[in-house]
């Protein structure tokens, strides 16, 4: 009952994020055709599939996402679509990066060709095939830097690598994000 009241009360409000336009930086081109937005920048190009209930306009180097029908102004996809477009524009200009840290005795990472080799205390090494749109570096044996123009793919790759050995709460051994806080537990006392 409470959920129904919440939906009725707040469904008439439109998104605060989606109303804002996105400024296009220099050396970036955007083209919208057949519900596909193509973005080209100095680091590469991305194409986004836009839902057919929205249209994208480009006026004075500013992109605006507008719903075709007035009733779709309450649709949560409006703000999500705007966020995806903003991330794509930022990605082709500056790119995104995540840093993973390995902590544990004998834990090592090395990049060889298109594979990331991980030694994580198992009886075997893990060879992770690096996707084409992602660049992985390992400046130290216990540090992995992942960069990409696609924020969604970058997060998926970082999460997959972290899942090979998640940090455990007693000694903190495993793969963690650079600024991640691991909640530590106290071990058994005799």
């Amino acid at each position: 009952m409470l959920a129904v009241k919440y939906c009725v009360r707040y469904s008439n409000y439109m998104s605060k994020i989606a109303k804002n336009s996105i400024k296009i930086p220099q050396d970036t081109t955007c083209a919208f055709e057949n519900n596909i937005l193509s973005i080209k920048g100095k680091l590469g190009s991305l194409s986004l599939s836009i839902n057919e209930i929205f249209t994208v306009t480009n006026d004075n180097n500013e992109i605006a996402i507008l719903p075709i029908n007035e009733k779709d102004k309450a649709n949560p996809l409006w703000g999500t679509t705007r966020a995806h477009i903003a991330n794509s524009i930022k990605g082709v200009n500056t790119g995104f990066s995540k840093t993973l840290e390995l902590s544990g005795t004998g834990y090592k990472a090395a990049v060889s060709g298109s594979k990331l080799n991980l030694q994580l205390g198992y009886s075997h090494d893990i060879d992770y095939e690096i996707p084409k749109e992602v660049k992985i570096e390992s400046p130290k044996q216990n540090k992995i830097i992942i960069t990409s123009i696609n924020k969604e793919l970058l997060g998926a790759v970082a999460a997959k690598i972290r899942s090979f050995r998640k940090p455990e709460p007693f000694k903190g051994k495993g793969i963690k994000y650079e600024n991640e806080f691991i909640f530590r537990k106290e071990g058994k006392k005799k």
Side-chain angles (χ1 to χ4, degrees):
M1 185 67 185
L2 182 65
V4 175
K5 286 182 180 179
Y6 178 83
C7 291
V8 172
R9 185 185 295 164
Y10 293 105
S11 66
N12 296 330
Y13 294 104
M14 57 191 230
S15 175
K16 294 178 181 179
I17 296 171
K19 294 186 290 184
N20 301 332
S21 59
I22 305 163
K23 291 189 177 182
I24 303 173
Q26 288 183 336
D27 304 328
T28 306
T29 58
C30 297
F32 181 67
E33 194 173 312
N34 297 331
N35 290 343
I36 293 179
L37 180 68
S38 301
I39 305 165
K40 286 185 182 176
K42 57 187 172 187
L43 295 180
S45 62
L46 288 172
S47 60
L48 280 172
S49 178
I50 307 294
N51 196 320
E52 61 268 357
I53 62 174
F54 303 111
T55 184
V56 178
T57 60
N58 187 351
D59 295 326
N60 299 329
N61 278 345
E62 286 193 359
I63 285 186
I65 299 91
L66 303 168
I68 294 174
N69 295 329
E70 192 70 24
K71 66 178 177 113
D72 290 324
K73 285 192 173 182
N75 193 328
L77 276 178
W78 188 20
T80 304
T81 303
R82 188 235 179 246
H84 283 305
I85 292 172
N87 285 337
S88 298
I89 290 173
K90 184 179 177 186
V92 296
N93 283 296
T94 58
F96 296 101
S97 70
K98 283 192 181 229
T99 304
L100 296 173
E101 294 175 347
L102 283 73
S103 58
T105 307
Y107 287 15
K108 296 177 185 175
V111 178
S112 59
S114 65
K115 290 191 176 184
L116 174 68
N117 181 273
L118 297 166
Q119 295 175 1
L120 300 173
Y122 296 119
S123 61
H124 60 282
D125 291 358
I126 297 171
D127 286 328
Y128 177 72
E129 188 71 36
I130 302 171
K132 291 180 182 177
E133 298 173 17
V134 176
K135 184 180 171 191
I136 295 181
E137 300 171 349
S138 183
K140 295 181 185 174
Q141 289 182 341
N142 63 347
K143 197 170 192 179
I144 303 169
I145 299 172
I146 310 166
T147 56
S148 178
I149 60 173
N150 189 337
K151 188 174 186 180
E152 187 177 353
L153 181 63
L154 174 78
V157 168
K160 179 67 179 173
I161 293 171
R162 183 180 180 273
S163 73
F164 292 134
R165 180 70 92 173
K166 289 184 180 175
E168 53 93 19
F170 296 103
K171 293 183 180 178
K173 292 167 61 172
I175 303 174
K176 69 179 189 81
Y177 295 111
E178 187 176 31
N179 295 322
E180 181 181 7
F181 175 75
I182 306 299
F183 183 74
R184 303 296 282 270
K185 292 181 179 177
E186 193 172 328
K188 290 183 179 177
K189 291 183 177 177
K190 290 184 179 182

